[in-house]
Each structure stands twice: as C-alpha cells, then as structure tokens.
Amino acid sequence: MSHLSVAKFGGSSVANYPAMQACAKIVIADPNTRVVVLSASAGVTNLLVALANGCEEPERNKLLGEVLQIQENILNELKDDSAVRPKIEALLDNITSLAEAANLATSLALTDELISHGEMMSSLIFVEVLREFYTQSTWLDVRQIVVTNSHFGKAAPNDEQTRANSDRVLKPLIDRGELVITQGFIGRDEQGKTTTLGRGGSDYSAALLAEVLDAEDVLIWTDVAGIYTTDPRIVPNAQRIDTMSFSEAAEMATFGAKVLHPATLLPAVRSNIPVYVGSSKAPQDGGTWVTRDPQPRPTFRAIALRRDQTLLTLSSLNMLHAQGFLANIFTILAKHKISVDTITTSEVSVAITLDKTGSASSGATLLSNELISELSEFCTVKVDTGLSLIALIGNALHTTSGTAKRIFDTLEAYNIRMICYGASTNNVCLLADSDKADEIVRALHKSLFE
C-alpha cells in the first residue's frame, strides 16, 4: 500500500452544499486520501441532542423541522438527489420515532442512537456530492468497524476488535483502490447498540481508523487554517503555530481548544501518526502539523479557554490529618461516572472542576441530587458556576525560572478563583469568572506572545 491518509471533515466543513463541494475538491486533489470521516452538518447534533432530551410536540416539531431544513437545503442543490433522498427520508423518519420515544422516557442509549443520525445523513449526501465531480466512492457504516464498550455518551473503543474488523472489512476496500466515506463519532457495542465517543469524537474516529489501517497521517479539515496561539475570535493578533508536539496539542484540546478533540491524539501518539490541521475553506493557506518532537519547543506555546465550568468545593474537618477522605470522595465520583478535571487541596477542603466531555452532558446534569446527597454524608458541598478555565500551554513550565512572575504580574488586576501549577510541565491552569475570561486571555497573550 502506498502513502495512505485518513481525512476528517468537521461540521462547519459539511454545513451546506458549497461547503461539501469544497471538501470534495480537497479529497479529489489528494490521491493519498483513501478514507474520509465526516461529522454531522453544523447545528444538527445540537438539535438531535435537544430532541433526545425529550420535548413536547410543538417544540419537537420545531426541532424536527430545523433538522429537515438543513438536509433539504443540501439535497435541493444536488443535480440529482433520486438515489440519496429516500435514504435521508428514512433516517428522518427514524429521528421522528426516536424523538417521540424520548418524550416518554429518555436514556443514554436512546440518545446515542438518535444523535448518530447526523453523521449518517452527511456521509450519505457526501457520496452524491463526489459523484457530481465524477468520483466514485464507497459508503461504509463505521459501526461495522468501530467496536466500543457500552458507556453510552462517551464510549471507549475496543482497539483489538476494531482492528480485526478493519482487516476484514475496511482494508480490502482500500487495497482495491476504493475511496471510502464513513462517519465519525459513532460506534457499536458488543450487543449491537449504537454508541458515541463524546462530543467532537469524529477526530478520535479518524485517528483510530488511521491507526488500524497503519496510515501515514491524519488530516483534520476544519474552519480554521491550523492551530493558533489562542482563539483568533478573542485575540485577532493570534498567530498560527506551524508545528507543535502531541503533548502540547493534547493539552490545548483538553483545555478547550476546539480544533482537536482531546482523545484524538491517543491513537496518533501510540502509533506516531502525524496529525495535520487545515481549513477546508482555504486549503491553500496551510495549517499546523502535530508530531512527536517538533523543534523549537518554546516555554509558552498557546492559551486555551474552556467556558461554562462547574467548581465543586468539598469541606470537612475530618480531612485534618486523616486518611481515606479523598479516596471516599473519588469513589463516589467514580460510581456516578464523573471524572475530575483540575483539583487543589487544603488541610480541610478540596476544590475540583468536573470533566464534561460526554455527548449530551452539562455541569448541571453531572451534579445529580443523588450525587450531592452522597457527598454530603462526608462533607459540606458548595457548587460554583459562571466560571471559565484558562490554560497556559507550553514546555518545562515548572522548571523554567521566571515563569510564575511573567504570568502573575499580568494577572495582578484580576481575581483568580483557583490555580493549578506544577502537576504538568505543559500547563498552568487558572479558574476565573467567565465575564473576565476573554479579558484575561487577551492580557496574557499580549504579555507572552506579542
């Protein structure tokens, strides 16, 4: 097999017919791209999540109408939609039935089944867009390949079974020279139920398929030309980073940079597969390569921002000189399938922010009454919202003299709610009020990068 690339196109890249045409041109121009992984068209997943949460008929019909309109807008611009329209209509009928079921009783399994339809529709339509450019492709349901556990909303792939399925189904198609179009974000558990890999999981899907295919690289096509020193919408002077390391990119993704999904890099790191991030709207503008050991490695690489954070402060005098308090707290959090994001401790209290990367999760839904009740048996529980996490990403941050001074001199005018510094050589995390977050990011960027 010659050079093999797996390309992934995000929701904004397949938002409408002209955007899909641009993606088709990128695929056709690169003969190395043999597998294409698609997200749902922009906006569709959010609508499907709202339907999966259950809603009364007037609201349900409104949401269904919006999903239908997004698909119709694309279908109506196809030169010939006769082959794909019946398939899309069947999927829309499924969405309607599942949304009605969700109104009676919601479940994580039903949610995953419902929201998977976005990727199914965009990938089917993309096959027709390619055909209009006289390019034949093979549509493949990724659930035939990606096997996961049954943790609906944030399922973990079974790498061994996924590779076996790839060897049996996907590799023969590639070996025959076929161009394969499939879906990101979704998989299937061993009982045959549809699962999802968490919001943004299409990136993970692409990297996972690249790994099982022993591909040379993963090409992530999105709406920005690479990874920047921070969000250009917050700081217009943000600079594109030409190359960065897996560890730097993973930190950025984990702490809110939406260019990559946090788990994307796991298969890539394991197999040392370079990841490229570029703009599907302007492929000629270049992008960012993420590799194992790029040079140079500056002290400060980027600033990431994650909004809508929930801070949980747990206090108890029983913590003082005691053993097992944190073990009890983490046991309760594990029971409720909640992972801790950042943490600081004192003698009698511990403050934590929560990981919210499941498909339909939010801070509010993570903190169930049952969870609060169980925690309250051990300690006083205080919940703070309206916060944002600002992460400084770099290299050797906790071993470079003067790092703290450069950061905290800039922060002199701001109230910082929590600081996590020293656990990683690659990040310093700051929790602040959301209404000051953009201002803090601009101040830090000006001080450290301009």
Side-chain angles (χ1 to χ4, degrees), residues 2 9 26 45 89 139 230 233 265 287 298 323 346 361 373 378 420 435:
S2 60
F9 292 94
I26 289 172
T45 300
E89 289 175 348
W139 184 86
T230 196
R233 290 169 297 185
L265 302 172
Q323 294 85 40
S346 73
S361 66
S373 176
F378 290 94
C420 292
D435 60 358

Side-chain angles (χ1 to χ4, degrees), residues 100-374:
E100 290 170 354
N103 192 44
L104 300 175
T106 61
S107 73
L108 291 174
L110 187 151
T111 296
D112 276 7
E113 179 67 39
L114 203 163
I115 62 180
S116 70
H117 283 64
E119 280 73 15
M120 301 295 282
M121 291 188 291
S122 64
S123 57
L124 284 164
I125 292 173
F126 192 66
V127 170
E128 298 304 313
V129 175
L130 283 167
R131 185 170 290 144
E132 292 187 352
F133 285 97
Y134 307 103
T135 299
Q136 294 299 313
S137 59
T138 299
W139 184 86
L140 176 67
D141 187 340
V142 79
R143 292 173 295 185
Q144 293 184 50
I145 309 298
V146 178
V147 179
T148 73
N149 62 13
S150 300
H151 186 177
F152 298 103
K154 196 179 178 184
N158 181 314
D159 298 328
E160 189 175 319
Q161 290 188 35
T162 298
R163 183 176 282 276
N165 287 346
S166 173
D167 290 345
R168 179 174 52 84
V169 178
L170 184 54
K171 274 191 176 178
L173 295 174
I174 303 300
D175 290 341
R176 289 202 298 268
E178 297 190 34
L179 171 61
V180 177
I181 310 301
T182 192
Q183 309 82 36
F185 181 52
I186 60 179
R188 180 178 283 155
D189 70 8
E190 293 185 11
Q191 287 71 49
K193 291 185 177 180
T194 299
T195 57
T196 64
L197 307 180
R199 293 300 289 269
S202 292
D203 293 345
Y204 192 0
S205 301
L208 190 64
L209 292 178
E211 183 178 45
V212 298
L213 287 168
D214 301 315
E216 272 69 29
D217 47 42
V218 180
L219 312 176
I220 305 289
W221 294 101
T222 180
D223 56 356
V224 291
I227 302 173
Y228 284 73
T229 47
T230 196
D231 188 338
R233 290 169 297 185
I234 300 173
V235 182
N237 289 338
Q239 305 143 26
R240 190 178 70 213
I241 303 164
D242 292 328
T243 61
M244 65 191 311
S245 69
F246 286 127
S247 57
E248 291 169 329
E251 294 282 357
M252 282 196 72
T254 300
F255 289 108
K258 295 181 179 179
V259 177
L260 289 172
H261 182 264
T264 300
L265 302 172
L266 294 178
V269 171
R270 279 193 308 240
S271 299
N272 193 23
I273 301 172
V275 177
Y276 177 80
V277 180
S279 169
S280 62
K281 296 176 172 58
Q284 71 282 355
D285 287 353
T288 301
W289 278 102
V290 184
T291 60
R292 179 168 286 177
D293 187 27
Q295 297 299 328
R297 302 282 284 271
T299 302
F300 294 104
R301 178 70 89 180
I303 304 170
L305 173 63
R306 189 196 287 167
R307 304 184 193 275
D308 188 26
Q309 295 297 285
T310 300
L311 177 67
L312 209 57
T313 305
L314 311 173
S315 305
S316 172
L317 290 174
N318 293 332
M319 278 185 70
L320 196 63
H321 307 305
Q323 294 85 40
F325 179 83
L326 284 177
N328 289 332
I329 296 301
F330 280 91
T331 298
I332 293 170
L333 294 172
K335 174 185 171 184
H336 290 268
K337 293 185 166 52
I338 291 174
S339 60
V340 171
D341 214 352
T342 60
I343 178 169
T344 60
T345 65
S346 73
E347 281 295 320
V348 294
S349 65
V350 55
I352 58 177
T353 61
L354 307 178
D355 183 357
K356 305 193 309 177
T357 54
S359 294
S361 66
S362 69
T365 56
L366 283 174
L367 296 174
S368 65
N369 291 332
E370 185 182 357
L371 169 62
I372 298 295
S373 176
E374 286 190 47

Side-chain angles (χ1 to χ4, degrees), residues 431-445:
L431 197 66
D433 291 336
S434 289
D435 60 358
K436 292 291 184 182
D438 287 11
E439 195 178 322
I440 292 171
V441 169
R442 283 191 284 268
L444 286 168
H445 193 276

Side-chain angles (χ1 to χ4, degrees), residues 59 62 91 107 153 180 240 244 291 311 376 397 400 416 448:
E59 177 67 12
K62 174 178 173 291
L91 289 169
S107 73
V180 177
R240 190 178 70 213
M244 65 191 311
T291 60
L311 177 67
S376 297
L397 289 172
T400 302
I416 303 300
L448 304 176

Side-chain angles (χ1 to χ4, degrees), residues 26-86:
I26 289 172
V27 171
I28 294 166
D30 181 9
N32 294 327
T33 296
R34 306 311 304 158
V35 177
V36 178
V37 175
L38 296 182
S39 296
S41 295
V44 170
T45 300
N46 288 338
L47 293 168
L48 297 178
V49 167
L51 288 166
N53 288 335
C55 44
E56 296 297 329
E57 188 172 354
E59 177 67 12
R60 184 167 69 245
N61 289 340
K62 174 178 173 291
L63 294 169
L64 288 167
E66 291 180 44
V67 175
L68 170 64
Q69 193 59 55
I70 291 171
Q71 308 309 316
E72 280 290 336
N73 288 344
I74 304 173
L75 291 173
N76 289 340
E77 291 200 59
L78 289 172
K79 293 171 186 168
D80 180 5
D81 67 359
S82 59
V84 71
R85 181 173 283 277

